[in-house]
Amino acid sequence: MDPFEHTAEPLPPHTAGRRVAMVVAFLVIAFAGDRLLALGLGALQAQSGFRFSKVYAEGGPPADVLVLGDSRGVNGFYAPALAKATSARVLNLSYNGMGPRLAEAILRDYLDRHPAPKLVLLDPTCVLARPGLVSELSNYAGRSERLQALIEAEDPDRAAAGRVSHLYRFNTEVFLRALFYLRKSDQTWINDYRIGEAQLQALREAEPKTELPDLDPADLEALGHIVTAARAAGADVRLVIVPYLPLYRRLLTWWPIFVAQLDAATPDAPVLDLSVAFDDVALFADGLHLNRRGAAPMVDALRAAGALRAIE
Amino acid sequence: MLFNSLAFLVFLAAFFPLYAALRGRTRLWLILAGSYLFYGWWDWRFLSLIAISTGVDYVVGLKIDASQDDARRKRLMWISMAVNLGFLAVFKYFGFFTESLVAALQAAGWGGRLEPLHIVLPVGISFYTFQTMSYTIDVYRRRLPVERDLLRFACFVAFFPQLVAGPIVRAAHLLPQFRVDQPLRWENLLRGAQMMLWGYVLKVGMADSLAAFVDNNFEHVHTLPSSSLALGVFFYAFQIYGDFCGYSLIAIGLGRVLGFDLGINFDRPYFSKSFSEFWQRWHISLSSWLRDYLYISLGGNRHGVARTYRNLMLTMLLGGLWHGASWTFVVWGALHGGYLVVQRLAGPAWRRLMDALRVPRTLESVGLILVVFLFTCLAWVFFRAPDFDTAFTLIRRVVTLDGWSLAAVPAKFQVIEGLALIAFVVAAEALSFRVRLADAIVRRPVVATLAGAAALWFIAFFGTFGGDAFIYFQF
C-alpha cells in the first residue's frame, strides 16, 4: 500500500455548489488562519525572554548597559559576568551576523521604548558581518517601522512575501529562539566549548588574508549614528574590539588599515583594540569567539581599560 | 522552470484553463508547446536534443515495426541506443571519462596535460533518454505496439510534469493515455492537489530547510565536530528524500490534475527491512527500469549464483554512474551492489539465527530498518561528497568520534527544527502504514479543506524559499 494508494471506490459525488463552497472555504480558512496564527505567534514572542523580544516588549526593568555587535559581541560581552562584576543590569543585544545598520535600528527602537542605559558597548568589527540577518528579524517587523524599512531595502522579496503571508514573517530562526526562551532569559547564552586541535592546526596552516574585505560605507556611517544616538540619549558609548585568538588575528594582515577606518568612522569615540589581549587558547571557542572561560578575563580587561567607568 | 518558482505558477495559471478548454489534437499541441516552453525556460538550445531524441526514436520505432528481419531490427534498436547513449556520453560523461583517462595516463608516467572541456549538462537528459530508450527496446522486444502519431509520441517524450526529473514512465503506461482526451475530474483535482501539496511540504518545508546545515557540514569536514558531521549525514538522507520524493509527488500530482496516471516513484523507503526492499521503494521508476532493461538483459538470476552477483554489481555500478559523472557515484552504486550481494549471501543464515534466538518479529523488523537506514546513510556520504577526501575524512572522523561534542554542534536551532521536521514526516509515513491517510483526508471535504490550508501554513512557516533547484536536476 503506497502512501497515496486510493481505494477503488470513487469519492462521493460533490455537486458544483459544494465544489465552489469547498474552494471558497479553503481560501478563506487559509487566509484567516494565516492572520490568526501570526497574531498568536506575535503575542507569544512578546512573552519571551529573548533579547529582541525585550526590546519590543512594553515595560520591564531598564538596562544600565546595552551591548551591540555580532556573534563576537554575543560571546565577548557576557552579560552575567558583566552584571556580577559591576552590579549593573546588562542587556546584550548582539546577535550572530548583526551588522551596524541593524544594530542602529535595534538601538533606536530600544531607546524609543525604554529609559536610556548608562553605557553602550559596541564591538565595531560587526562591520565585517555578512548581510542576511535583517530578514531573519522579520518576525519583529510588525513592531518596528525601522526594521520593516531595512527588510524592504535589503530583501524586497521577503518583505513582499511577508505581506502576502503574515505567518511567513515568523519563518525565521530568530523566532524559534524566541520560542525557546519563552520563560527564561537568553542572556546566559555563550559558547561553552573550547577550540579543538583540528581547528588550531588548520589555523596554523592557513594562508594570511591579505585583502581587507570591502566595507560598506553605509555600515561605517551607521557606527557613527550609533554613537550619536546613544550620546543624544545620555549614554556613554565605548567601541571595543573583542579579542581574537592570536593565531587567527595574525592572519589578518590588513588589521591596522581596518582599525584606522573604524577610527575615522567614529572620530568622537576612539576604538579600544583588544584584539590581541588574550593569548590563552583555553579562553576561545574558535578563532573569532571567546568562550565561557573567557568571559571574566574580558570584564577585567574592560575594567582595566576604563571602558566601564560609566557604571562604576 | 522549477516547480518551486513563481514562473511555474504563472505558467500553470495560463496553461490549465487552456488545457481544460481544448480537446483532441489541439490539446496535444498545447501539451507539446507547454512542455517545450517549460524545458526551454531553462535553456532553449537543448530543446534540439529532445527533438532529435524524439525524431530518432519515432523513426526507429516505425522501422523496427516494419521489419521482420531480427538482425535488422537489432541494428535499428542499436541506432537508437547509440544516439541516446551518445547524448549522455557527450553531455554527461565526456569530461569525466577524459579526466579519468588523463589521470590514469599521468599515474602511468605520462607528462602531458589536457585542459578539461566544460560541457553544460542539459537538465533531465538522463530521464528522457531512458524514457525514450525503453520505448524503442519494448517495440524491438514486441512488447509494445509502435506509435505512428508523431505528435502523440513527442508528447510522451516531453510531457512537462515528468520531463526533467521523472518519474521515468514506460511508454506502455503513458502513451495510451495520450490517445484519449483525459477528462478533468474533480476527484483527480483533489487527489492531485493533495499529492502536490505534500510534495511541496517535503521539498520546500523539509528538504530545503535541511540543506543549509548539510552544506555547511560537507564543506567543513575537517573542522566541525564529528557529532555535527553525523547529524549532517542524517539530515542529508532526509534532504535528498524530501527533495526527490517531493519533486516526484509534485510531478505525479500535476499529472493527475491533468488526468494522467504517472505511477509512483517512492514508497516510504526508509522503512525498508532489506536493501532489495529499499530498491523497491526508492526511485521505483529507475530501479525497475534498471531491473527490466539491464539486470534481466544481463541474465538476471538465471545463470547461477556467481553470474547473479556479477549482474547485481554491474547494475548497481551503472545505476551509480547514471546519477552522476564521478567516481563517488560509482562507489555509491558499488556499495549498494555490495549490500544486495551480502544480503543474498547472509540472508538464510540470518533467518536461521533469528529463529534459533526466537527474536520477536517486531523487534527484528525495527532492528533491520535501522541497519538498512544506517548503511544507506553510509552510502549517501559518497553520493553527497564532492570528492573522496571529503567522504573518507567524514567517515573516519565520525567512526572514531573525533571531536565528538553535542555542545559544539553549530546552528542548534537549525538542528532542532530539522529534527522536528524529520520526526513529523516519519510519523506521518509510519501512520500511513496503518491508515489510508491520504484517502481518509480527501474523502472528507471539511478535513480536506483544513488539511490543505494546514499544508499551506506549514510551508509558509517552515519553508525555505531560496529558489533551490531540485537535487535530481543535475542527473
Side-chain angles (χ1 to χ4, degrees), chain B residues 126-179:
Chain B
S126 305
F127 290 92
Y128 67 75
T129 49
F130 268 43
Q131 184 155 313
T132 55
M133 279 196 297
S134 75
Y135 163 79
T136 313
I137 296 169
D138 283 350
V139 171
Y140 166 74
R141 288 175 173 174
R142 295 193 171 90
R143 288 181 184 165
L144 179 73
V146 73
E147 178 55 64
R148 299 187 183 283
D149 186 329
L150 177 59
L151 175 60
R152 205 178 288 144
F153 184 73
C155 286
F156 155 71
V157 176
F159 190 41
F160 72 87
Q162 42 85 237
L163 170 61
V164 291
I168 303 166
V169 191
R170 307 287 176 83
H173 186 73
L174 185 54
L175 258 173
Q177 298 185 55
F178 288 108
R179 295 203 177 108

Side-chain angles (χ1 to χ4, degrees), chain B residues 368-389:
Chain B
L368 286 172
I369 287 170
L370 290 175
V371 168
V372 170
F373 179 71
L374 194 68
F375 280 92
T376 304
C377 283
L378 174 69
W380 283 137
V381 173
F382 291 92
F383 196 92
R384 172 61 180 79
D387 49 52
F388 284 117
D389 177 50

Side-chain angles (χ1 to χ4, degrees), chain A residues 1 5-7 9 14 171, chain B residues 186 191 268 432 443 461 463:
Chain A
M1 179 174 90
E5 186 194 41
H6 305 114
T7 55
E9 199 183 326
H14 293 172
N171 180 353
Chain B
W186 176 246
R191 292 190 189 278
R268 297 157 293 185
S432 73
R443 282 186 175 281
F461 187 67

Side-chain angles (χ1 to χ4, degrees), chain B residues 319-363:
Chain B
L321 200 57
W322 177 89
H323 282 86
S326 161
W327 289 108
T328 52
F329 288 110
V330 177
V331 169
W332 173 77
L335 279 172
H336 273 285
Y339 296 163
L340 289 169
V341 169
V342 170
Q343 181 190 303
R344 278 182 176 242
L345 281 169
W350 173 266
R351 186 69 272 134
R352 284 195 298 274
L353 180 68
M354 289 296 107
D355 290 344
L357 294 174
R358 294 185 181 174
V359 175
R361 281 294 160 99
T362 312
L363 186 64

Side-chain angles (χ1 to χ4, degrees), chain A residues 55-122:
Chain A
V55 172
Y56 297 106
E58 302 297 326
D64 300 315
V65 182
L66 275 190
V67 179
L68 294 165
D70 59 10
S71 57
R72 285 169 37 73
V74 173
N75 295 286
F77 304 109
Y78 186 46
L82 267 168
K84 189 178 169 191
T86 62
S87 303
R89 286 167 297 197
V90 182
L91 178 58
N92 191 332
L93 294 176
S94 307
Y95 196 79
N96 306 345
M98 181 190 273
R101 276 175 283 176
L102 181 56
E104 181 194 347
I106 295 288
L107 173 68
R108 289 185 188 278
D109 281 348
Y110 182 88
L111 293 175
D112 284 350
R113 291 163 175 78
H114 305 275
K118 294 176 184 157
L119 173 65
V120 174
L121 287 171
L122 166 68

Side-chain angles (χ1 to χ4, degrees), chain B residues 4 10 47 51 53 84 93 115 156 168 184 263 282 342 388 427:
Chain B
N4 54 340
V10 174
L47 282 172
S53 195
N84 286 299
Y93 298 110
E115 288 303 317
F156 155 71
I168 303 166
L184 292 177
W282 179 276
V342 170
F388 284 117

